[in-house]
Amino acid sequence: MKKAVITAVTFAATALAGPAMADKLDDIIASGTLRCAVVLDFPPMGSRDADNNPQGFDVDYCNDLAAALGVTAEIVETTFPERIPALVSGQVDVGVASTSDTLERAKTVGFTIPYYAFENAVVANEGVEMTDWEGMKGKTVGATAGTYEAIWLEGKIKEWGEGEFRPYQNQADVFLALSQGQLDATVSTVEVAEANVKSGNFPGIRVVDKAPMVPDYVALITLRNEQGLLNYLNLFIHQQVRTGRYAELYEKWVGEGEPADLTIKGVYR
Amino acid sequence: MFNYTFQWKQAYAKLPQMLDGALVTMQIAILSMVIGILLAITLTLFRQSNSRVLKGIATTWVEVARNTPALFQIYMAHFGLAGLGLHLSPYSSLLLGITFNNAGYLAENFRGALKGIPDTQARAGWSLGMTRIQAFRYIVVPQMLRISFPTITNQMVWAVLMTSLGVTVGLNKDLYGVTQDLNALTFRTFELFALAAVIFYFIVKIIQIGARLLARRLFRY
């Protein structure tokens, strides 16, 4: 009899506990905290204000997402190369970090639909004669290692067969090198380029031209197998656009004008 | 929690590129050691000299090299010197930073080694008609290098490992730089860095075995 009771209780407890395999979405809601990897040397997407608090488009985006989930947001600062280790080692749940959705990377991590799209600008040192993007041919150029524009720029250097490409570890080092004349030019997103020229932190740099690149569509990332969370994130991005929040955040952080279209005509997804 | 499926084949496919990077790493390490040893001998001489200026230069060098992070030394070689209008390529900046570090550490060790060589050795040389420089070069330096041999080997290992700091100054041709670039392309962080670690391990092993063989040859007597 006693044995039967214990068995029954154990059985009931197991049934109540539900399936042992709760997914990441459940984990986040249960923990009450959403941990986002955000790059904070990438204004206006991510930076720190005068009081050293995280701010920017990506920071607000993470806060919105946390609010939708009904949890508190925690911003975990990462560099571009650290995003993936932070994700797979469980230090963060989601990367809200302007991650370009390349097919090569999609073999490793799970990408949502795009949540933002960048156009890129060519920025040059004032001492270098350059009137358009093709002026970069034969020059010493650089960008932040591993970014969409770095991959494009290094490809161009290989294609041209002249010039040199230097990848730096963060955006600040790229602009420092450019300002010092170590680099002749760089390619960075229009937003970052304008913010850096305007800031006055890097004297002697100017925006030259738009880079002839396909817009850099960036997506939220999480673990590749977290389909439930990916579904939620996709719908969240959809909601951000249709409620007008995307446009609102664009105006707040980037400025006047229309935010880039996140859809591509003629295809699904 | 560690949520990751290892895809070793994707990393192995990049092995040839990484081995090319390993050659650059070796090249930098060897160059920085050869120049570093020559500089260290010079610094040792400076410290022995009666000139306050030369002594000051040598002491400052050794103090800075030994008491600041190698990362700082390499970063300064690139961004610091550029601020003064001297532009070095990422390769040269890394080489300069590591050489500076090597020279500082080795000079300190050479000083210790010198203490183990009795003055009478040099004096015997002079009595045979050698100049001071000849006696230093043919009698003191060989013994000094012999005593410091294990330290030199260690410093060589350290030089190889220090090349990984080249990424901070934009170098992407050495082993660590190549790995970092591949990581950015594919996001296969752990496989690629594990593979790089194994290559680093073997480079260091080869140096240690090489040093042991060399020691056997050099120190037969």
Side-chain angles (χ1 to χ4, degrees):
Chain A
M1 184 61 193
K2 215 174 190 180
K3 210 174 187 180
V5 170
I6 292 173
T7 315
V9 168
T10 316
F11 195 75
T14 317
L16 278 177
M21 298 277 286
D23 69 357
K24 190 102 190 161
L25 182 56
D26 287 331
D27 290 346
I28 294 167
I29 297 166
S31 74
T33 311
L34 171 75
R35 297 163 307 166
C36 302
V38 180
V39 178
L40 293 180
D41 75 332
F42 197 58
M45 307 308 283
S47 62
R48 286 182 183 279
D49 66 12
D51 300 324
N52 219 25
N53 295 316
Q55 63 169 13
F57 186 99
D58 285 345
V59 174
D60 279 357
Y61 215 85
C62 174
N63 288 332
D64 288 354
L65 178 58
L69 286 162
V71 298
T72 348
E74 185 189 324
I75 305 293
V76 179
E77 179 175 9
T78 62
T79 62
F80 283 113
E82 282 167 9
R83 287 173 298 189
I84 303 311
L87 199 59
V88 299
S89 61
Q91 292 173 50
V92 299
D93 305 306
V94 179
V96 187
S98 307
T99 313
S100 310
D101 55 357
T102 71
L103 285 170
E104 190 64 37
R105 290 168 169 184
K107 292 173 187 167
T108 309
V109 295
F111 283 101
T112 61
I113 56 174
Y115 78 98
Y116 196 86
F118 290 105
E119 286 197 293
N120 283 279
V122 176
V123 189
N125 185 290
E126 272 170 0
V128 179
E129 279 203 29
M130 204 181 283
T131 48
D132 59 6
W133 70 273
E134 280 177 320
M136 287 193 295
K137 203 168 172 177
K139 302 282 197 315
T140 302
V141 297
T144 313
T147 56
Y148 180 74
E149 56 271 23
I151 294 165
W152 180 83
L153 199 50
E154 192 168 18
K156 275 284 166 217
I157 295 295
K158 280 190 185 135
E159 188 189 313
W160 288 331
E162 52 179 319
E164 192 193 337
F165 174 77
R166 294 179 186 173
Y168 287 92
Q169 286 309 290
N170 58 61
Q171 194 80 63
D173 279 354
V174 175
F175 279 93
L176 176 60
L178 184 67
S179 170
Q180 288 180 338
Q182 305 248 54
L183 291 177
D184 297 323
T186 182
V187 170
S188 79
T189 63
V190 172
E191 290 82 348
V192 169
E194 279 170 359
N196 276 324
V197 170
K198 226 187 291 169
S199 76
N201 290 335
F202 305 100
I205 61 170
R206 68 196 162 100
V207 174
V208 176
D209 191 10
K210 282 229 168 127
M213 296 156 68
V214 175
D216 177 13
Y217 292 98
V218 295
L220 306 180
I221 48 170
T222 188
L223 296 172
R224 197 180 68 171
N225 54 347
E226 289 298 341
Q227 212 53 53
L229 181 56
L230 283 168
N231 274 338
Y232 189 91
L233 294 174
N234 282 336
L235 183 58
F236 171 73
I237 292 167
H238 211 275
Q239 298 260 9
Q240 288 285 92
V241 177
R242 70 194 196 210
T243 56
R245 180 68 173 153
Y246 173 52
E248 199 179 310
L249 286 181
Y250 183 89
E251 203 191 316
K252 178 176 174 192
W253 293 108
V254 186
E256 294 295 311
E258 283 287 300
D261 197 344
L262 297 178
T263 57
I264 298 175
K265 207 173 163 341
V267 290
Y268 287 107
R269 198 182 194 264
Chain B
M1 187 188 68
F2 192 79
N3 206 325
Y4 198 69
T5 25
F6 286 85
Q7 301 293 335
W8 291 104
K9 275 195 181 151
Q10 288 191 32
Y12 287 144
K14 311 290 186 195
L15 194 57
Q17 279 163 273
M18 293 174 76
L19 289 176
D20 283 347
L23 285 180
V24 176
T25 287
M26 287 294 282
Q27 192 186 38
I28 294 174
I30 291 167
L31 267 176
S32 74
M33 279 308 284
V34 173
I35 307 171
I37 289 173
L38 293 176
L39 281 173
I41 293 173
T42 315
L43 289 177
T44 310
L45 270 175
F46 280 12
R47 278 181 151 190
Q48 300 289 106
S49 85
N50 294 321
S51 156
R52 231 182 228 183
V53 178
L54 294 184
K55 255 190 183 159
I57 292 172
T59 312
T60 313
W61 187 317
V62 171
E63 286 293 308
V64 176
R66 283 166 50 93
N67 299 323
T68 61
L71 177 67
F72 165 79
Q73 293 159 21
I74 293 161
Y75 202 82
M76 286 311 280
H78 194 64
F79 291 107
L81 290 181
L84 304 173
L86 186 61
H87 293 180
L88 294 181
S89 71
Y91 184 97
S92 313
S93 309
L94 180 63
L95 184 60
L96 177 64
I98 298 180
T99 307
F100 176 82
N101 188 284
N102 282 347
Y105 269 87
L106 290 172
E108 184 66 11
N109 286 308
F110 289 171
R111 191 171 73 144
L114 270 189
K115 285 199 179 136
I117 305 166
D119 290 346
T120 48
Q121 299 259 336
R123 271 191 226 132
W126 304 341
S127 72
L128 290 172
M130 283 182 170
T131 63
R132 273 172 182 269
I133 292 173
Q134 280 175 331
F136 186 73
R137 187 170 156 201
Y138 296 110
I139 298 176
V140 178
V141 169
Q143 294 188 69
M144 191 175 81
L145 291 179
R146 182 176 174 158
I147 296 171
S148 334
F149 191 79
T151 326
I152 293 175
T153 312
N154 275 342
Q155 191 64 32
M156 174 77 190
V157 170
W158 181 223
V160 168
L161 302 181
M162 270 193 286
T163 59
S164 60
L165 298 171
V167 291
T168 57
V169 291
L171 187 70
N172 65 340
K173 295 181 182 69
D174 66 312
L175 176 54
Y176 196 82
V178 168
T179 312
Q180 185 89 283
D181 260 19
L182 290 171
N183 174 40
L185 281 180
T186 65
F187 278 3
R188 293 248 68 103
T189 311
F190 293 95
E191 293 89 336
L192 289 167
F193 281 108
L195 211 53
V198 171
I199 299 174
F200 269 118
Y201 180 88
F202 277 111
I203 293 175
V204 170
K205 269 290 152 212
I206 290 167
I207 292 169
Q208 287 169 344
I209 292 167
R212 206 173 301 148
L213 292 177
L214 196 65
R216 218 177 278 167
R217 241 184 97 86
L218 287 176
F219 309 143
R220 263 179 305 192
Y221 309 108

